[in-house]
């Protein structure tokens, strides 16, 4: 899935999160690939460790599992990574569908720096890393349980806010696919522009723009075509009466249905069935 995001605005908000919590934050896509993070420093303990291929694979696997767990519950997930550091992941959801993840990590709940040093040094030995990483180990942030929970709640709110402000959104083609699926699932109901904007948390202008870009007509025309395609399928594959089909695909005016069906397919519904 391709996520579009506003680099400048999102980076500024991530910086605010870091100023407030002192914890690194990142945005991941649906495939668990990191898209953007703050701060940009590369000399953290974890960044040094990821130079080791085995460690990097373990780290990526840990991130992936955390996102999968988040996907199952659809909610915030606070956990310990494969080396015992605290991380949290919150889902970025559009219309109930998870399209990405906000994550923070590289935090310790162990206040004793000497104990943490010993533990992380042992981790280095496990992966046969003999580089002196004592300075980067001491830079690992300590946060107590209340601070971690507070930061995680802010992360969860962050994930909702960036979607509300359209800092993160699906690409136009993927949004069209989602709208098409929604229309097919509610084909017998009244579907308005206002309803689509509300369901997909988008503005009218964006809806109009993507329709012009990816379809051959406007919103109303797109919905009507989906209704007619479904009607054509029902005529071909069921024994339903034509008026019943008209109603089943959302046409309250039967005569209007007959007119637009013939205009779309060049044949009346009755002749098409024959």
């Amino acid at each position: 899935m391709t996520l579009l995001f506003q680099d400048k605005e999102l980076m500024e908000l991530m910086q605010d999160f870091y100023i407030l919590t002192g914890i690194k934050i990142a945005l991941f896509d649906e495939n668990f690939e990191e898209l953007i993070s703050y701060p940009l420093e590369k000399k953290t303990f974890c960044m040094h460790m990821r130079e080791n291929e085995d460690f990097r694979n373990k780290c990526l696997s840990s991130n992936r599992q955390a996102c999968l767990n988040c996907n199952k519950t659809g909610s915030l997930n606070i956990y310990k990574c494969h080396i015992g550091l605290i991380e949290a992941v919150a889902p970025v959801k559009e219309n109930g569908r998870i399209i990405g993840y906000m994550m923070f990590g590289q935090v310790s709940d162990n206040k004793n720096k000497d104990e943490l040093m010993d533990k992380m040094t042992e981790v280095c030995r496990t992966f046969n890393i003999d580089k002196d990483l004592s300075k980067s180990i001491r830079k690992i942030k300590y946060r107590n349980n209340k601070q971690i929970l507070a930061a995680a709640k802010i992360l969860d709110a962050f994930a909702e806010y960036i979607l509300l402000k359209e800092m993160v959104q699906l690409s136009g083609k993927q949004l069209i696919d989602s709208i098409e699926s929604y229309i097919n699932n509610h084909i017998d109901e009244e579907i308005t522009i206002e309803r689509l904007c509300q369901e997909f948390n988008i503005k009218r202008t964006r809806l109009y723009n993507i329709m012009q870009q990816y379809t051959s007509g406007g919103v109303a025309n797109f919905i009507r075509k989906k209704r007619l395609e479904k009607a054509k399928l029902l005529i071909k594959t069921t024994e339903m009466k034509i008026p019943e089909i008209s109603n089943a695909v959302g046409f309250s005016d039967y005569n209007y249905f007959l007119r637009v069906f013939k205009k779309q397919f060049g044949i009346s519904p009755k002749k098409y069935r024959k």
Side-chain angles (χ1 to χ4, degrees):
M1 177 184 294
T2 302
L3 275 186
L4 304 178
F5 56 94
Q6 304 297 326
D7 298 54
K8 183 180 178 182
E9 292 85 351
L10 190 56
M11 184 62 78
E12 287 178 353
L13 197 59
M14 285 181 162
Q15 184 178 11
D16 291 339
F17 178 88
Y18 183 76
I19 291 171
L20 187 63
T21 66
I23 303 174
K24 180 176 180 179
I25 182 173
L27 170 67
F28 288 74
D29 66 14
E30 188 187 37
N31 298 315
F32 323 120
E33 295 291 332
E34 184 178 310
L35 302 177
I36 184 173
S37 64
Y38 188 89
L40 303 175
E41 59 178 318
K42 301 296 183 181
K43 295 183 179 180
T44 64
F45 173 72
C46 289
M47 293 306 295
H48 280 302
M49 293 294 289
R50 285 177 188 169
E51 294 173 2
N52 177 283
E53 184 176 357
D54 290 336
F55 183 91
R56 182 171 64 254
N57 291 336
K58 284 276 189 180
C59 188
L60 293 175
S61 177
S62 178
N63 287 346
R64 180 182 179 86
Q65 188 57 53
C67 291
L68 287 173
N69 291 339
C70 181
N71 199 307
K72 288 179 182 178
T73 63
S75 59
L76 177 70
N77 179 26
I78 306 172
Y79 64 99
K80 285 192 175 183
C81 72
H82 67 110
I83 60 171
L85 296 180
I86 303 294
E87 298 188 340
V89 57
V92 179
K93 293 190 286 188
E94 185 172 69
N95 192 36
R97 176 187 179 187
I98 295 178
I99 63 173
Y101 304 89
M102 291 305 309
M103 180 179 287
F104 75 60
Q106 302 178 33
V107 179
S108 174
D109 59 351
N110 188 344
K111 192 174 184 179
N112 191 314
K113 283 290 185 180
D114 291 332
E115 286 184 7
L116 182 62
M117 178 67 71
D118 291 341
K119 184 175 181 179
M120 294 300 106
T121 300
E122 183 58 35
V123 169
C124 291
R125 292 196 192 100
T126 301
F127 289 93
N128 299 315
I129 298 174
D130 56 8
K131 185 187 297 185
D132 182 8
L133 297 179
S134 57
K135 287 185 179 180
S136 58
I137 292 173
R138 293 196 178 279
K139 289 181 180 180
I140 295 175
K141 302 293 178 61
Y142 161 75
R143 296 292 182 270
N144 62 40
N145 290 335
K146 287 185 177 180
Q147 290 171 323
I148 291 169
L149 181 58
K153 288 180 178 179
I154 295 172
L155 182 78
D156 203 23
F158 191 113
E160 293 186 13
Y161 181 78
I162 61 174
L163 196 64
L164 178 66
K165 293 297 183 179
E166 297 186 347
M167 294 185 194
V168 174
Q169 55 193 0
L170 289 174
S171 69
K173 178 60 171 66
Q174 289 166 326
L175 187 55
I176 286 291
D177 291 342
S178 295
I179 290 174
E180 181 176 359
S181 178
Y182 179 83
I183 292 171
N184 289 334
N185 290 332
H186 299 82
I187 199 75
D188 62 332
E189 303 171 14
E190 181 182 8
I191 303 174
T192 63
I193 293 172
E194 291 76 11
R195 180 173 175 177
L196 291 177
C197 289
Q198 183 177 4
E199 288 290 335
F200 290 91
N201 193 31
I202 57 176
K203 296 177 181 178
R204 278 174 169 264
T205 51
R206 185 171 184 234
L207 180 60
Y208 291 147
N209 289 338
I210 64 170
M211 282 292 176
Q212 290 177 356
Q213 184 176 359
Y214 293 97
T215 72
S216 57
V219 182
N221 185 59
F222 184 76
I223 296 172
R224 185 169 56 250
K225 286 181 67 175
K226 295 296 119 182
R227 294 191 193 280
L228 291 172
E229 288 170 4
K230 181 66 174 180
K232 188 177 181 182
L233 179 64
L234 291 176
I235 291 171
K236 183 177 181 180
T237 60
T238 75
E239 297 298 323
M240 292 174 65
K241 296 179 179 179
I242 304 300
E244 293 176 339
I245 292 176
S246 170
N247 189 62
V249 298
F251 286 98
S252 56
D253 186 330
Y254 179 58
N255 290 325
Y256 175 70
F257 166 71
L258 296 178
R259 290 199 305 272
V260 295
F261 188 96
K262 186 172 183 179
K263 183 177 181 180
Q264 177 70 25
F265 302 116
I267 190 174
S268 72
K270 289 183 178 180
K271 287 185 178 180
Y272 178 74
R273 171 162 277 175
K274 291 179 181 180

